[in-house]
């Protein structure tokens, strides 16, 4: 695999991993909609960990969710998936740094390095997959409640935290896929074959000069 391509894929995975860390604490995963409201007195926004509100004077109040088991199932699943994405990305970053060709950590065995990079690519891919499932599932529930005319509660719109999560997932999936598909996964290095001369090889003691001259003289006068 081209070393430059390895570094580019590693940077994509790293940026995706950083953006996961930005998306998780972001408070604006969903924001209360202003659609159909003439007078707006407050705005409500939530993420995976807390619910916040701001009034017309600019005062913010946040309240953490008191119970994990009392949350909706998709919020609990999104939490678990985002934490798993951070774990996969952290391990994938370390593994890929060890396996890239410009690193000396794994020695000079390019086959071994290629396999290590392939493992790192799989971990980056899992990071992007977990992030994509988490933010997409969360966004699906937002849109489902928004377009439901019989929903009695507050309707929300998609916040900036989900867009950060989608960008992170795309970068991680791209970098992980390229590392997994383009890495060198040879089974063994090519070994040089021993030289074998063509024809028959005769072994024995070389004749002396007197014997060679005698046989030459006898053949010459026949």
């Amino acid at each position: 695999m081209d070393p430059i391509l390895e570094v580019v894929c590693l940077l994509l995975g790293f940026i995706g991993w950083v953006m996961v860390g930005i998306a998780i604490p972001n408070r604006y995963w969903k924001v209360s909609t202003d659609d159909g409201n003439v007078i707006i007195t407050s705005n409500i926004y939530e993420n995976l960990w807390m619910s916040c509100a701001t009034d017309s004077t600019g005062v913010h109040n946040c309240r953490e969710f008191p119970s994990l088991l009392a949350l909706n199932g998709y919020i609990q699943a999104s939490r678990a998936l985002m934490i798993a994405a951070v774990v996969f990305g952290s391990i994938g970053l370390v593994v890929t740094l060890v396996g890239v060709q410009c690193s000396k950590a794994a020695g000079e065995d390019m086959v071994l390095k290629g396999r290590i990079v392939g493992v790192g690519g799989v971990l980056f891919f899992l990071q992007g997959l977990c992030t994509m499932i988490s933010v997409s599932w969360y966004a699906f529930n937002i849109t489902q409640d928004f377009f439901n005319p019989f929903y009695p509660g507050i309707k929300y719109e998609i916040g900036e935290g989900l867009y950060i999560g989608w960008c992170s997932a795309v970068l991680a999936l791209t970098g992980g896929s390229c590392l997994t598909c383009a890495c060198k996964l040879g089974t063994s290095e090519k070994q040089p074959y021993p030289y074998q001369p063509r024809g028959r090889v005769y072994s024995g003691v070389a004749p002396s000069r007197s014997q060679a001259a005698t046989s030459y003289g006898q053949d010459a006068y026949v």
Side-chain angles (χ1 to χ4, degrees), residues 82-200:
M82 293 300 287
I83 294 173
V86 173
V87 174
F88 284 135
S90 301
I91 300 174
L93 181 62
V94 175
V95 170
T96 308
L97 284 174
V98 172
V100 290
Q101 297 183 29
C102 57
S103 173
K104 300 298 183 181
E108 300 296 333
D109 190 350
M110 292 300 160
V111 176
L112 177 60
K113 283 189 172 184
R115 292 174 179 173
I116 294 175
V117 169
V119 173
V122 172
L123 292 171
F124 277 135
F125 185 86
L126 291 176
Q127 170 201 331
L129 186 63
C130 290
T131 307
M132 181 65 73
I133 293 174
S134 175
V135 296
S136 299
W137 194 357
Y138 197 95
F140 170 76
N141 284 273
I142 294 174
T143 56
Q144 187 180 39
D145 295 338
F146 183 86
F147 292 108
N148 184 6
F150 302 104
Y151 180 70
I154 300 173
K155 293 186 176 181
Y156 293 89
E157 295 184 1
I158 296 173
E160 64 182 30
L162 295 182
Y163 293 106
I164 297 174
W166 275 317
C167 293
S168 167
V170 171
L171 291 175
L173 288 172
T174 303
S177 300
C178 292
L179 285 176
T180 305
C181 298
C183 68
K184 184 179 180 181
L185 294 175
T187 55
S188 61
E189 295 181 343
K190 294 182 178 180
Q191 300 292 337
Y193 292 99
Y195 173 73
Q196 296 181 355
R198 296 182 179 179
R200 292 180 294 178

Side-chain angles (χ1 to χ4, degrees), residues 28-70:
Y28 297 94
W29 277 52
K30 63 179 180 180
V31 183
S32 59
T33 181
D34 298 333
D35 183 44
N37 298 326
V38 179
I39 300 176
I40 301 172
T41 58
S42 64
N43 289 321
I44 302 174
Y45 47 94
E46 296 182 2
N47 63 0
L48 297 175
W49 317 99
M50 65 183 65
S51 176
C52 300
T54 178
D55 57 18
S56 57
T57 61
V59 177
H60 295 263
N61 292 313
C62 292
R63 177 182 63 88
E64 294 184 356
F65 297 133
S67 175
L68 173 64
L69 299 179

